[in-house]
Amino acid sequence: SFIGEESVAAGEGSILTANPTWIIDPIDGTTNFVHRFPFVAVSIGFVVNKEIEFGIVYSCVEDKMYTARKGKGAFCNGQKLKVSGQQDITKSLLVTELGSNRDPETIKIVLSNMERLLSIPIHG
């Protein structure tokens, strides 16, 4: 099976089943792409029994290929990735995405979450 993000965004329905399924977003960061903001990627995932088996993200502008496989770790251009180990959130850089849902209730929840994050003395 195949699920394409652009098709779903255009209103086509999709149902994730237990069947092996490719999930593809050919322009991950469509809004960035439309506005010529240079952070876009091609994202591909493979799911079996509704569980991710592996994923690939190609960051076009950076020419970086991120890969991950269930139980095998994540890599960038073949180099193993690891988390920083930082446990103190005040020494961390937080990045967030506001999402595209403009439903008033969703906006309230997102802004409430942002307010809680911004009250922590973080780097950015």
Side-chain angles (χ1 to χ4, degrees):
S1 300
F2 289 88
I3 297 175
E5 193 275 340
E6 306 303 335
S7 300
V8 172
E12 291 183 24
S14 69
I15 297 173
L16 182 61
T17 67
N19 293 334
T21 304
W22 291 96
I23 301 173
I24 303 170
D25 188 349
I27 305 176
D28 195 353
T30 306
T31 300
N32 290 350
F33 179 78
V34 168
H35 293 280
R36 296 184 177 195
F37 191 67
F39 295 102
V40 297
V42 176
S43 297
I44 301 170
F46 186 69
V47 178
V48 178
N49 294 321
K50 298 184 180 183
E51 290 193 29
I52 295 284
E53 293 296 322
F54 64 85
I56 301 166
V57 175
Y58 177 62
S59 177
C60 310
V61 174
E62 299 175 291
D63 191 27
K64 290 184 177 179
M65 178 78 72
Y66 295 90
T67 59
R69 186 167 181 184
K70 185 177 176 181
K72 304 291 183 188
F75 299 82
C76 177
N77 291 341
Q79 296 289 322
K80 179 106 169 133
L81 297 174
K82 62 178 185 161
V83 297
S84 71
Q86 181 57 256
Q87 294 185 13
D88 182 352
I89 197 166
T90 66
K91 295 179 181 170
S92 299
L93 175 66
L94 278 123
V95 180
T96 186
E97 161 63 42
L98 298 176
S100 59
N101 187 331
R102 298 299 179 249
D103 172 70
E105 190 57 35
T106 301
I107 290 172
K108 284 180 188 177
I109 293 168
V110 169
L111 291 177
S112 173
N113 289 338
M114 289 295 297
E115 184 178 24
R116 282 187 282 173
L117 283 173
L118 293 172
S119 68
I120 301 169
I122 53 175
H123 287 189

